[in-house]
Amino acid sequence: MANDHDDQGPAQYSSPPCFMHELDPAFHAPISDWTDVRRWRKAERERLIAARLAVSADARTAMSQSIAGALDAVIGNIAGRMVSLYWPFRGEPDLRPWMAAINERGGRTALPVVVEKARPLIFRAYVPGDRLEKGVWNIPIPAEGEPVLPDIVISPIVGIDSGNYRLGYGGGFYDRTLAAMPFKPLVIGVGYELQRIATIYPQPHDIPMDRIVTEAAKA
């Protein structure tokens, strides 16, 4: 194979590099400025949420069941372990039946609670049937209970890249929470295959997921 460069200088391209995005759909021009990254993430977040909501409710239910089965395979014996899940929002995988099954098998479950903007989340123990109240974005949260520390954190994704970096809703809650915890839990991002993207342009404050589970695969 010929070298890209020779003694005469850089190779000549049939199209200027600025047109590469028109030739290769997977091409992503690097973004280094944080303002531009934020703008790109906002647009990508809106696109991915719309794509997720376009999937039928029946299809999302089937995919959620597949994700629950894959989580069992990844985690193994759940007895005695505390798992933080989430209340499904805007087409996210609905793992509430799996949450009930965890408690039936001797595990414990919790839900995240937003305490304040730009602050870490706390987790409160929750068993299906416990009293709930409306939290931020009207998402149900446990109405009472002291904070707990989960062994496993199940984090919904808006997008996920090849480095397991998660695109979320833009609040930075999970990154702050994981950085502040006194020990590192197993962090599993869950979502659909359609949410895989080439990059989120990760920044120094971004924390990658340990594992990713979708309806089709785990990594």
Side-chain angles (χ1 to χ4, degrees), residues 128-176:
D130 286 353
R131 189 167 71 88
L132 295 165
E133 63 185 16
K134 290 183 179 180
V136 175
W137 302 303
N138 289 325
I139 298 173
I141 60 172
E144 57 252 331
E146 294 299 314
V148 298
L149 291 173
D151 305 297
I152 302 165
V153 173
I154 307 297
S155 174
I157 63 171
V158 174
I160 196 73
D161 72 10
S162 58
N164 285 0
Y165 284 98
R166 168 187 178 271
L167 179 66
Y169 292 101
F173 290 110
Y174 273 95
D175 291 326
R176 291 188 186 91

Side-chain angles (χ1 to χ4, degrees), residues 189-202:
V190 296
Y192 311 123
E193 281 294 307
L194 61 84
Q195 294 170 275
R196 291 191 183 273
I197 56 178
T199 183
I200 71 160
Y201 297 104

Side-chain angles (χ1 to χ4, degrees), residues 52-87:
R52 183 172 72 192
L53 289 170
V55 178
S56 73
D58 287 346
R60 289 201 304 266
T61 296
M63 290 192 289
S64 297
Q65 292 170 349
S66 296
I67 290 168
L71 284 169
D72 281 333
V74 168
I75 295 172
N77 185 12
I78 203 70
R81 303 169 84 179
M82 171 71 77
V83 183
S84 170
L85 288 98
Y86 58 90
W87 202 269

Side-chain angles (χ1 to χ4, degrees), residues 9-25:
Q12 300 300 308
Y13 298 90
S14 58
S15 297
C18 61
F19 295 121
M20 288 296 288
H21 66 285
E22 297 180 6
L23 303 176
D24 182 0

